Amino acid sequence: MATPKTDLEKRKQISVRGIAQVENVANVKKTFNRHLHYTLVKDRNVSTPRDYYFALAHTVRDHLTSRWIRTQQHYYEKDPKRVYYLSLEYYMGRSLTNTMINLGIQSACDEALYQLGLDIEELESLEEDAGLGNGGLGRLAACFLDSMATLRMAAYGYGIRYEYGIFAQKIRNGEQVEEPDDWLRFGNPWEKGRPEYMVPVNFYGRVEDTPQGKKWLDTQIVFAMPYDNPIPGYQNNVVNTMRLWSAKSPNNFNLRFFNDGDYIQAVLDRNFAENISRVLYPNDNFFEGKELRLKQEYFMVAATLQDIIRRFKSSKFGSRDQVRTSFDSFPDKVAIQLNDTHPSLAIPELMRILIDIEGLTWASAWDVCVKTCAYTNHTVLPEALERWPTSMLEHILPRHLQIIYEINHLHLQEVSRRWPGDMDRIRRMSLVEEHGEKRVNMAHLCIVGSHAVNGVAAIHSEIIKRDLFKDFYEMTPEKFQNKTNGITPRRWLLLCNPALADVIAEKIGEEWVVHLDQLTKLKELAKDSGFVRAVQTAKQENKLRLAKQLEQEYGVTVNPSSMFDIQVKRIHEYKRQLLNCLHIITLYNRIKANPGGNFVPRTVMIGGKAAPGYHTAKQIIRLICAVGRVVNNDPIVGDKLKVIYLENYRVTLAEKIIPAADLSQQISTAGTEASGTGNMKFMLNGALTIGTLDGANIEMMEEMGKDNIFIFGMTVDEVEELKRKGYNAYDYYNQLPELRQCIDQIQSGFFSPNNPDQFKDLVNVLMHHDRFFLFADYESYIKCQDEVGKLYEKPADWTSKAIMNIASSGKFSSDRTISEYGREIWGVEPSWEKLPAPHEPRETENEEESK
Ligand SMILES: *Cc1c(COP(=O)(O)O)cnc(C)c1O
């Protein structure tokens, strides 16, 4: 047996990361030392690890700079159609390692830092996550930016530079406690502020009807200051831009109200305006109709549209020489993608600019708007759909409400032309809901104002056509599309799982990094004993590393040969962490009833944040922790079963946990998880899935074959049938003794002896108002878990299926998703051609351009 290698030695010999060129290493060292001296103003005697991190980040950033400038020059010169991705969330995580990988300088940096006697992994761990997202929707935006740059699209991500991202979760006495995420405290080496592109955003005021049209007057102004963040493509010399807006108070803010000379108060009050970009709302799949959130949404949209229109007008081949800009070509030059309805005010804002400022007629403005905009729906849960009260819109955005009313008027005219006298349909399809408090249904606004509407997995796209947006589908079926979500293989395999990436590269080379379909070549190796062993070794390495970290950071000891059974995602009733918990309790009861029995050892790990105001989700966390306390301290159980709550689940933790997973739990009630992307990350990293026929799980099963995934529970149709019949939890409680035992234990305080009533609310939800039918799937879930346990006892068979998972995950690359958006929605072709490197001559012009 070879002598065990240190992590650093392993990193140095890794094949996929290329070979460190001597001159590159020397260059990195030189630049690093220069930054330590001139940027950090330190010498080696007084430098802290954080100084070293910043010196390294600046060194890596230097490698981006020329490519970034040249990419943007290239776009200006070629003037391709621009893609604008508008999102209130970007869940980016760390940038350092990703940037080194995408620039192809990772081995050079590894070697340089090694020669300088520094531990690069320690420095990497000092970077704060950019946690400007809640979960899947925000992480999707981040994966899409990576793919758009890798596919050479002239794309921009627009969003908000929240001063506080998603809160840090602490678990104290088995309970979630939130701490603010002050991620900018030490500075952000990746961003570049651009005060010269600051733009004003208006709020409040009134609308005046003048001979020259509508005027929005007496508004309060807040400035939007852009911060640009580089988005490098994978080794193609492309660097795109994510532009995040920060709120700045105008210099004269409030002064007119303080003529009495309260200058100090006027300065202090600047905070009010700047609060707009202070903090990310921590809700996932939940609409909370707060005024500040509405302001955030409009702030982002208003600043972004000014930028888009400025860039359109100043385009080299555009119409800047004309007295009045022609917007006829706008939809040929601009595509705007709305990530859920959060940026839906882009539709009335674009109309306002085109009509009130640019002087277009309503008809031509509407034509431009619909051709330019496209909308992605992310959920069918009613509590997640944005419905802003008209009273709030009228107060904050009076002109936009007028425009929305006019859009609605013309839209309903069309509805009644198509369905004369169908008043019920008119009521259902109205943008304005009149029952109870009058509200605007933002999804309806998006459908009417866009040329394309898409769901994020095949089943979800069918459900929105059949159910949520049925009437709209009947009116404009040609708008409705599917774009199954994906994940970037750069971060979610190459970066987070170098051990597996190497095992794969050794067999099929490295092309899979940009053509993930290539992984199908591994199918013929699923039963190759050498390859099976190599994949097992990589998995075991990852499990050992995670076990070591859990030991170090939380003092918990886990058995690294136990099955790592993992469910990490936001805590939500529809995701059914409680069903997982019922399985854990069932296993516990079986061990207690038969201590000498043969049990497959499991370490069940659950992680995720609950929205701070979501009481039931917080109770679910408490229950999992309480069950863990009982199970983990029971000597009879030993290491047959361990339950660990993974604190502060976020992108960086996902990168550590997913490569170490044996089993991935994707157990939402069929019809509730629009797609899921966590499921794809686990599949790509060789975990087997236990899941329902929901979201992208269905397409995963189609790709790998049903023998390679553990499917249980009701289908969407069966859930619908159960709803019609009427669901009664007692039917299952009375029929299933193991279920009854679990519920009775939770109810009676078995897991909360100091507070026997602790989980009464939770039991009440399960027994009386469970919208997600946990008991209806319990029996089939437990049986399916038993099959999982049996297979785990045959390691070679297990790993063969794991290989089939990896080999079938090509479809779930966000490169595939983005290529489809490009071709089928944006009218933009993906390209795998590189841009010339900074030391190479520019691409010759006039090849495809006629002018
Ligand atoms: C991928 C990801 C998610 C989404 O997970 P789902 O299981 O699809 O809900 C949420 N949070 C983080 C940190 C992620 O990386």
Coordinates of all heavy atoms in Angstrom, one line a residue, residues 242-309:
M242 N -22.2 40.2 -13.6 CA -23.4 40.3 -12.8 C -23.4 41.7 -12.1 O -22.4 42.0 -11.4 CB -23.3 39.2 -11.7 CG -24.5 39.3 -10.7 SD -24.5 38.0 -9.5 CE -23.1 38.3 -8.5
R243 N -24.4 42.4 -12.4 CA -24.5 43.8 -11.9 C -25.5 43.9 -10.8 O -26.7 43.6 -11.0 CB -24.8 44.8 -13.1 CG -24.9 46.2 -12.6 CD -24.8 47.2 -13.8 NE -23.4 47.4 -14.1 CZ -23.0 48.3 -15.1 NH1 -23.9 49.0 -15.7 NH2 -21.7 48.4 -15.3
L244 N -25.1 44.2 -9.6 CA -25.9 44.3 -8.4 C -26.1 45.7 -8.0 O -25.1 46.4 -7.9 CB -25.4 43.4 -7.3 CG -25.2 41.9 -7.6 CD1 -24.6 41.2 -6.4 CD2 -26.5 41.3 -8.1
W245 N -27.3 46.1 -7.7 CA -27.6 47.5 -7.3 C -27.6 47.7 -5.8 O -28.2 46.9 -5.1 CB -28.9 47.9 -7.9 CG -29.0 47.8 -9.4 CD1 -29.7 46.9 -10.1 CD2 -28.5 48.7 -10.4 NE1 -29.6 47.1 -11.5 CE2 -28.9 48.3 -11.7 CE3 -27.8 49.9 -10.3 CZ2 -28.5 48.9 -12.9 CZ3 -27.4 50.6 -11.5 CH2 -27.8 50.1 -12.7
S246 N -27.1 48.8 -5.4 CA -27.1 49.2 -4.0 C -27.8 50.5 -3.9 O -27.5 51.4 -4.7 CB -25.6 49.2 -3.5 OG -25.6 49.6 -2.1
A247 N -28.6 50.7 -2.9 CA -29.4 51.9 -2.7 C -28.5 53.0 -2.1 O -27.8 52.8 -1.1 CB -30.6 51.7 -1.9
K248 N -28.5 54.2 -2.7 CA -27.8 55.4 -2.2 C -28.8 56.5 -2.0 O -29.5 56.8 -3.0 CB -26.7 55.8 -3.2 CG -25.4 55.0 -3.1 CD -24.7 55.2 -1.8 CE -23.8 56.4 -1.7 NZ -23.2 56.6 -0.3
S249 N -28.7 57.2 -0.9 CA -29.5 58.3 -0.7 C -29.0 59.5 -1.5 O -27.8 59.7 -1.7 CB -29.4 58.7 0.8 OG -30.5 59.4 1.2
P250 N -29.9 60.3 -2.1 CA -29.5 61.5 -2.8 C -28.9 62.5 -1.8 O -29.3 62.5 -0.7 CB -30.7 62.0 -3.5 CG -31.9 61.4 -2.8 CD -31.4 60.1 -2.2
N251 N -28.0 63.4 -2.3 CA -27.4 64.3 -1.4 C -28.4 65.3 -0.7 O -28.2 65.7 0.4 CB -26.3 65.1 -2.1 CG -25.0 64.4 -2.0 OD1 -24.8 63.7 -1.1 ND2 -24.1 64.7 -3.0
N252 N -29.5 65.6 -1.4 CA -30.5 66.5 -0.9 C -31.6 65.8 -0.1 O -32.6 66.4 0.2 CB -31.1 67.4 -2.0 CG -31.8 66.5 -3.0 OD1 -31.9 65.3 -2.8 ND2 -32.4 67.2 -4.0
F253 N -31.3 64.5 0.2 CA -32.4 63.7 0.8 C -32.9 64.3 2.1 O -32.1 64.6 3.0 CB -31.9 62.3 1.1 CG -33.0 61.3 1.6 CD1 -33.9 60.8 0.8 CD2 -33.1 61.1 3.0 CE1 -34.9 59.9 1.3 CE2 -34.1 60.2 3.5 CZ -35.0 59.7 2.6
N254 N -34.2 64.5 2.1 CA -34.9 65.0 3.3 C -34.6 66.5 3.6 O -35.2 67.0 4.6 CB -34.5 64.2 4.5 CG -35.7 63.4 5.0 OD1 -36.8 63.6 4.5 ND2 -35.5 62.5 6.0
L255 N -33.6 67.1 2.9 CA -33.3 68.5 3.4 C -34.4 69.5 3.3 O -34.6 70.3 4.1 CB -32.1 69.0 2.6 CG -30.7 68.4 3.1 CD1 -29.6 69.0 2.3 CD2 -30.6 68.7 4.6
R256 N -35.3 69.2 2.3 CA -36.4 70.2 2.1 C -37.3 70.1 3.3 O -38.1 71.0 3.6 CB -37.2 69.9 0.8 CG -37.7 68.5 0.7 CD -38.2 68.3 -0.7 NE -38.1 66.9 -1.0 CZ -39.0 66.2 -1.8 NH1 -40.0 66.9 -2.3 NH2 -38.9 65.0 -2.0
F257 N -37.3 68.9 4.0 CA -38.2 68.8 5.2 C -37.5 69.3 6.5 O -38.0 69.3 7.5 CB -38.6 67.3 5.4 CG -39.3 66.7 4.2 CD1 -38.7 65.7 3.6 CD2 -40.5 67.3 3.8 CE1 -39.3 65.1 2.4 CE2 -41.1 66.7 2.7 CZ -40.5 65.7 2.0
F258 N -36.2 69.7 6.3 CA -35.5 70.1 7.5 C -34.9 71.5 7.4 O -33.8 71.8 7.7 CB -34.4 69.1 7.8 CG -35.0 67.9 8.4 CD1 -35.3 66.7 7.7 CD2 -35.3 67.8 9.8 CE1 -35.8 65.6 8.2 CE2 -35.8 66.7 10.4 CZ -36.1 65.6 9.6
N259 N -35.8 72.4 6.8 CA -35.4 73.8 6.6 C -35.2 74.4 8.0 O -34.5 75.4 8.1 CB -36.4 74.6 5.8 CG -36.3 74.1 4.4 OD1 -35.3 73.7 3.9 ND2 -37.5 74.3 3.7
D260 N -35.7 73.8 9.0 CA -35.6 74.3 10.3 C -34.2 74.0 10.9 O -33.8 74.3 12.0 CB -36.6 73.7 11.3 CG -36.6 72.1 11.2 OD1 -35.9 71.6 10.3 OD2 -37.2 71.5 12.1
G261 N -33.3 73.4 10.0 CA -31.9 73.4 10.3 C -31.5 72.1 11.0 O -30.4 72.0 11.6
D262 N -32.4 71.1 11.0 CA -31.9 69.8 11.7 C -31.1 69.0 10.7 O -31.5 68.0 10.2 CB -33.1 69.0 12.2 CG -32.6 68.0 13.3 OD1 -31.4 67.8 13.3 OD2 -33.5 67.4 13.9
Y263 N -29.9 69.5 10.5 CA -29.0 68.9 9.5 C -28.6 67.5 10.0 O -28.5 66.6 9.2 CB -27.8 69.8 9.4 CG -26.5 69.1 8.9 CD1 -26.4 68.8 7.5 CD2 -25.5 68.8 9.7 CE1 -25.3 68.1 7.1 CE2 -24.4 68.2 9.3 CZ -24.3 67.8 8.0 OH -23.2 67.2 7.5
I264 N -28.3 67.4 11.2 CA -27.9 66.1 11.8 C -29.0 65.0 11.5 O -28.7 63.9 11.0 CB -27.6 66.1 13.3 CG1 -26.4 67.1 13.6 CG2 -27.3 64.8 13.9 CD1 -25.1 66.6 13.0
Q265 N -30.2 65.4 11.8 CA -31.3 64.4 11.6 C -31.4 64.1 10.1 O -31.7 62.9 9.8 CB -32.6 65.0 12.2 CG -33.7 64.0 12.3 CD -33.3 62.8 13.2 OE1 -32.7 63.0 14.3 NE2 -33.5 61.6 12.8
A266 N -31.2 65.1 9.3 CA -31.4 64.8 7.8 C -30.3 63.8 7.4 O -30.6 62.9 6.6 CB -31.2 66.1 7.1
V267 N -29.1 63.9 7.9 CA -28.0 63.0 7.6 C -28.4 61.6 8.1 O -28.3 60.6 7.4 CB -26.7 63.4 8.1 CG1 -25.6 62.3 7.8 CG2 -26.2 64.7 7.4
L268 N -28.8 61.5 9.3 CA -29.2 60.2 9.9 C -30.3 59.6 9.1 O -30.3 58.3 8.9 CB -29.6 60.4 11.4 CG -28.6 60.9 12.3 CD1 -29.1 61.0 13.8 CD2 -27.3 60.0 12.3
D269 N -31.2 60.4 8.6 CA -32.4 59.8 7.9 C -32.0 59.3 6.5 O -32.9 58.6 5.9 CB -33.5 60.9 7.7 CG -34.2 61.1 9.1 OD1 -34.0 60.3 10.0 OD2 -35.0 62.0 9.2
R270 N -30.8 59.5 6.0 CA -30.4 58.9 4.8 C -30.5 57.4 4.8 O -30.7 56.7 3.8 CB -29.0 59.3 4.4 CG -28.8 60.8 4.1 CD -27.4 61.2 4.1 NE -26.6 60.5 3.1 CZ -26.5 60.9 1.8 NH1 -27.2 62.0 1.4 NH2 -25.8 60.3 0.9
N271 N -30.4 56.8 6.0 CA -30.6 55.4 6.2 C -32.0 54.9 5.6 O -32.0 53.8 5.1 CB -30.6 55.0 7.7 CG -29.2 55.0 8.2 OD1 -28.3 54.6 7.4 ND2 -29.0 55.3 9.4
F272 N -33.0 55.7 5.7 CA -34.3 55.2 5.3 C -34.2 54.8 3.8 O -34.7 53.8 3.4 CB -35.4 56.3 5.5 CG -35.7 56.5 6.9 CD1 -35.8 57.8 7.4 CD2 -36.0 55.4 7.8 CE1 -36.1 58.0 8.8 CE2 -36.3 55.6 9.1 CZ -36.3 56.9 9.6
A273 N -33.6 55.7 3.0 CA -33.5 55.4 1.6 C -32.6 54.2 1.3 O -32.9 53.3 0.5 CB -33.0 56.6 0.8
E274 N -31.5 54.1 2.1 CA -30.6 53.1 1.8 C -31.0 51.7 2.4 O -30.3 50.7 2.1 CB -29.2 53.6 2.4 CG -28.7 54.8 1.6 CD -27.4 55.4 2.0 OE1 -26.8 55.0 3.0 OE2 -27.0 56.4 1.4
N275 N -32.0 51.7 3.2 CA -32.6 50.4 3.7 C -33.1 49.5 2.6 O -33.2 48.3 2.8 CB -33.7 50.7 4.7 CG -33.2 51.0 6.1 OD1 -32.1 50.7 6.4 ND2 -34.0 51.5 6.9
I276 N -33.3 50.1 1.4 CA -33.9 49.3 0.3 C -33.0 48.1 0.0 O -33.5 47.0 -0.2 CB -34.1 50.2 -0.9 CG1 -35.3 51.1 -0.7 CG2 -34.4 49.3 -2.2 CD1 -35.6 52.1 -1.8
S277 N -31.7 48.3 0.0 CA -30.9 47.1 -0.4 C -30.2 46.5 0.9 O -29.2 45.9 0.8 CB -29.8 47.5 -1.4 OG -29.0 48.6 -0.9
R278 N -30.8 46.7 2.0 CA -30.1 46.3 3.3 C -30.1 44.8 3.4 O -29.1 44.2 3.7 CB -30.8 46.9 4.5 CG -30.0 46.8 5.8 CD -28.9 47.8 5.9 NE -29.4 49.2 6.0 CZ -28.8 50.3 5.7 NH1 -27.5 50.2 5.2 NH2 -29.3 51.5 5.8
V279 N -31.3 44.1 3.2 CA -31.4 42.7 3.6 C -32.3 41.9 2.7 O -33.3 42.3 2.2 CB -31.9 42.6 5.1 CG1 -33.2 43.3 5.3 CG2 -31.9 41.2 5.6
L280 N -31.8 40.7 2.4 CA -32.6 39.7 1.7 C -33.8 39.2 2.5 O -33.6 38.8 3.7 CB -31.7 38.5 1.3 CG -32.4 37.2 0.8 CD1 -32.8 37.5 -0.7 CD2 -31.5 36.0 0.9
Y281 N -35.0 39.2 2.0 CA -36.1 38.6 2.6 C -35.9 37.0 2.7 O -35.7 36.4 1.7 CB -37.4 38.9 2.0 CG -38.0 40.2 2.5 CD1 -37.6 41.4 1.9 CD2 -38.8 40.3 3.6 CE1 -38.1 42.6 2.4 CE2 -39.3 41.5 4.1 CZ -38.9 42.7 3.5 OH -39.4 43.8 4.0
P282 N -36.0 36.4 3.9 CA -35.6 35.0 4.0 C -36.7 34.0 3.8 O -36.6 32.9 4.3 CB -35.1 35.0 5.5 CG -36.0 36.0 6.2 CD -36.3 37.1 5.2
N283 N -37.6 34.4 3.0 CA -38.7 33.4 2.7 C -38.4 32.6 1.4 O -38.0 33.2 0.4 CB -40.1 34.1 2.5 CG -40.5 34.9 3.7 OD1 -40.4 34.4 4.8 ND2 -40.9 36.1 3.5
D284 N -38.6 31.3 1.5 CA -38.5 30.4 0.3 C -39.9 29.9 0.0 O -40.6 29.4 0.9 CB -37.6 29.3 0.6 CG -37.3 28.4 -0.6 OD1 -36.6 28.9 -1.5 OD2 -37.7 27.3 -0.6
N285 N -40.4 30.1 -1.2 CA -41.7 29.7 -1.6 C -42.8 30.2 -0.7 O -43.7 29.5 -0.3 CB -41.8 28.1 -1.6 CG -41.2 27.6 -2.9 OD1 -41.8 27.8 -3.9 ND2 -40.1 26.8 -2.8
F286 N -42.7 31.5 -0.3 CA -43.7 32.1 0.5 C -43.8 33.6 0.2 O -42.7 34.3 0.1 CB -43.4 31.9 2.0 CG -44.5 32.4 2.9 CD1 -45.7 31.7 3.0 CD2 -44.3 33.6 3.6 CE1 -46.7 32.2 3.8 CE2 -45.4 34.1 4.4 CZ -46.6 33.4 4.5
F287 N -45.0 34.1 0.0 CA -45.2 35.6 -0.3 C -45.6 36.3 0.9 O -46.5 36.0 1.6 CB -46.3 35.7 -1.4 CG -46.7 37.2 -1.6 CD1 -45.8 38.1 -2.0 CD2 -48.0 37.6 -1.3 CE1 -46.1 39.4 -2.2 CE2 -48.4 38.9 -1.5 CZ -47.4 39.8 -2.0
E288 N -44.7 37.3 1.3 CA -45.0 38.1 2.4 C -45.1 39.5 1.9 O -44.2 40.1 1.4 CB -43.8 38.0 3.4 CG -44.0 38.7 4.7 CD -42.7 38.6 5.6 OE1 -41.8 37.9 5.2 OE2 -42.7 39.3 6.6
G289 N -46.3 40.1 1.9 CA -46.6 41.3 1.1 C -46.1 42.6 1.8 O -46.8 43.5 2.1
K290 N -44.8 42.7 2.1 CA -44.2 43.8 2.8 C -43.9 45.0 1.9 O -43.3 44.7 0.8 CB -43.0 43.4 3.6 CG -43.3 42.5 4.8 CD -43.8 43.4 6.0 CE -43.7 42.7 7.3 NZ -44.7 41.7 7.5
E291 N -44.1 46.2 2.3 CA -43.8 47.4 1.5 C -42.4 47.4 1.1 O -42.0 47.7 -0.1 CB -44.2 48.6 2.3 CG -44.3 49.9 1.5 CD -45.0 51.0 2.2 OE1 -46.2 50.8 2.6 OE2 -44.4 52.1 2.3
L292 N -41.5 47.1 2.0 CA -40.0 47.2 1.7 C -39.6 46.2 0.6 O -38.8 46.5 -0.2 CB -39.2 47.0 3.0 CG -37.7 47.1 2.8 CD1 -37.3 48.5 2.3 CD2 -36.9 46.7 4.0
R293 N -40.3 45.1 0.6 CA -40.0 44.1 -0.4 C -40.5 44.6 -1.8 O -39.8 44.4 -2.8 CB -40.7 42.8 0.0 CG -40.7 41.7 -1.1 CD -39.4 41.1 -1.4 NE -39.5 40.1 -2.5 CZ -38.7 39.2 -2.8 NH1 -37.5 39.1 -2.1 NH2 -38.9 38.3 -3.8
L294 N -41.7 45.2 -1.8 CA -42.2 45.8 -3.1 C -41.2 46.8 -3.6 O -40.9 46.9 -4.8 CB -43.6 46.4 -2.9 CG -44.2 47.0 -4.1 CD1 -44.4 45.9 -5.2 CD2 -45.5 47.7 -3.8
K295 N -40.7 47.6 -2.7 CA -39.7 48.6 -3.1 C -38.4 48.0 -3.6 O -37.8 48.5 -4.6 CB -39.3 49.5 -1.9 CG -40.4 50.5 -1.5 CD -39.8 51.4 -0.4 CE -40.7 52.6 -0.1 NZ -40.2 53.3 1.1
Q296 N -38.0 46.9 -3.0 CA -36.8 46.2 -3.5 C -37.0 45.7 -4.9 O -36.2 45.9 -5.8 CB -36.5 45.0 -2.6 CG -35.9 45.3 -1.3 CD -35.5 44.1 -0.5 OE1 -36.1 43.0 -0.7 NE2 -34.7 44.2 0.5
E297 N -38.2 45.2 -5.2 CA -38.5 44.6 -6.5 C -38.5 45.7 -7.5 O -37.9 45.6 -8.6 CB -39.8 43.9 -6.5 CG -39.8 42.6 -5.6 CD -41.1 41.8 -5.6 OE1 -42.1 42.2 -6.2 OE2 -41.0 40.7 -4.9
Y298 N -39.1 46.9 -7.2 CA -39.2 47.9 -8.2 C -37.8 48.6 -8.4 O -37.4 48.9 -9.5 CB -40.2 49.0 -7.8 CG -40.2 50.1 -8.8 CD1 -40.6 49.9 -10.1 CD2 -39.8 51.4 -8.5 CE1 -40.6 50.9 -11.1 CE2 -39.8 52.4 -9.5 CZ -40.2 52.1 -10.8 OH -40.1 53.1 -11.7
F299 N -37.1 48.8 -7.3 CA -35.8 49.3 -7.3 C -34.9 48.6 -8.3 O -34.2 49.2 -9.2 CB -35.2 49.3 -5.9 CG -33.7 49.7 -5.7 CD1 -33.4 51.0 -5.8 CD2 -32.7 48.7 -5.5 CE1 -32.0 51.4 -5.6 CE2 -31.4 49.1 -5.4 CZ -31.1 50.4 -5.4
M300 N -34.9 47.3 -8.2 CA -34.0 46.5 -9.1 C -34.4 46.6 -10.5 O -33.6 46.8 -11.4 CB -34.1 45.0 -8.6 CG -33.0 44.1 -9.2 SD -33.3 43.6 -10.9 CE -34.4 42.1 -10.5
V301 N -35.7 46.5 -10.7 CA -36.3 46.6 -12.1 C -36.0 48.0 -12.7 O -35.6 48.1 -13.9 CB -37.8 46.2 -12.0 CG1 -38.6 46.8 -13.1 CG2 -38.0 44.7 -11.9
A302 N -36.3 49.0 -12.0 CA -36.2 50.4 -12.6 C -34.7 50.7 -12.9 O -34.4 51.3 -14.0 CB -36.7 51.4 -11.6
A303 N -33.8 50.3 -12.0 CA -32.4 50.6 -12.3 C -31.9 49.8 -13.5 O -31.2 50.3 -14.4 CB -31.6 50.3 -11.0
T304 N -32.3 48.5 -13.5 CA -31.9 47.6 -14.6 C -32.4 48.1 -15.9 O -31.6 48.1 -16.9 CB -32.4 46.2 -14.3 OG1 -31.8 45.8 -13.0 CG2 -32.0 45.2 -15.4
L305 N -33.7 48.5 -16.0 CA -34.2 48.9 -17.3 C -33.5 50.1 -17.8 O -33.3 50.3 -19.0 CB -35.7 49.0 -17.3 CG -36.5 47.7 -17.4 CD1 -37.9 47.8 -17.1 CD2 -36.3 47.1 -18.8
Q306 N -33.2 51.0 -17.0 CA -32.4 52.2 -17.4 C -31.1 51.8 -18.0 O -30.7 52.3 -19.1 CB -32.2 53.2 -16.3 CG -33.4 53.9 -15.8 CD -33.2 54.8 -14.6 OE1 -32.6 55.8 -14.7 NE2 -33.6 54.4 -13.4
D307 N -30.5 50.8 -17.4 CA -29.2 50.3 -17.9 C -29.3 49.6 -19.2 O -28.5 49.8 -20.2 CB -28.6 49.3 -16.9 CG -27.1 49.5 -16.6 OD1 -26.7 50.7 -16.6 OD2 -26.4 48.5 -16.3
I308 N -30.4 48.8 -19.4 CA -30.6 48.1 -20.6 C -30.8 49.1 -21.7 O -30.3 48.9 -22.8 CB -31.8 47.1 -20.4 CG1 -31.5 46.0 -19.4 CG2 -32.3 46.6 -21.8 CD1 -32.6 45.1 -19.1
I309 N -31.7 50.1 -21.5 CA -32.0 51.0 -22.5 C -30.8 51.9 -22.9 O -30.6 52.2 -24.0 CB -33.3 51.8 -22.1 CG1 -34.5 50.9 -22.2 CG2 -33.5 53.0 -23.0 CD1 -35.7 51.3 -21.6

